[in-house]
């Protein structure tokens, strides 16, 4: 379970940096192509954290070996990663929008 949380957390941090930069640019009035696409950026962030958490956990967390001796993977490993990534994505969004962005913008 720790590996599932760490993998999702690492992806959330790495992807949170461009999301924070985008939010700060929009808040400062930078004219970006397409205008204000914050909703799309947030949706892509959440989708990427969920997908990466699912895939990385599927690859890293095998089922117990049992009698055969070789590690196996199943959809349960991916489900563990998906459900671990849900709160991680939410925490990442809260940190970006409620903590870091006000610190950077000064208010």
């Amino acid at each position: 379970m720790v590996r599932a949380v760490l993998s999702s957390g690492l992806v959330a941090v790495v992807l949170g940096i461009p999301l924070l930069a985008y939010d700060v640019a929009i808040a400062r009035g930078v004219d970006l192509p397409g205008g204000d696409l914050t909703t799309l950026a947030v949706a892509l962030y959440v989708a990427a954290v969920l997908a990466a958490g699912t895939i990385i956990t599927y690859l890293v967390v095998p089922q117990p070996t049992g009698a055969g001796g070789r590690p196996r993977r199943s959809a349960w490993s991916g489900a563990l990663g998906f459900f671990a990534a849900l709160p991680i994505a939410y925490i990442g969004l809260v940190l970006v929008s409620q903590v870091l962005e006000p610190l950077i913008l000064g208010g």
Side-chain angles (χ1 to χ4, degrees):
M1 182 67 173
V2 172
R3 290 180 276 182
V5 173
L6 287 177
S7 64
S8 299
L10 181 63
V11 170
V13 167
V14 169
L15 295 178
I17 293 168
L19 180 64
L20 177 63
Y22 183 80
D23 281 348
V24 169
I26 290 294
R28 290 190 175 162
V30 175
D31 189 25
L32 298 172
D36 185 359
L37 299 173
T38 304
T39 304
L40 177 63
V42 168
L44 290 174
Y45 170 81
V46 171
V49 171
L50 292 177
T54 301
I55 292 167
I56 292 170
T57 304
Y58 176 79
L59 295 173
V60 172
V61 181
Q63 288 181 322
T65 57
R70 66 178 181 89
R72 295 170 292 173
R73 289 168 179 52
S74 75
W76 289 109
S77 296
L80 172 70
F82 179 82
F83 288 116
L86 281 171
I88 298 295
Y90 177 75
I91 291 169
L93 286 174
V94 169
L95 284 174
V96 165
S97 65
Q98 301 296 317
V99 177
L100 296 175
E101 188 177 345
L103 282 174
I104 291 172
L105 294 175

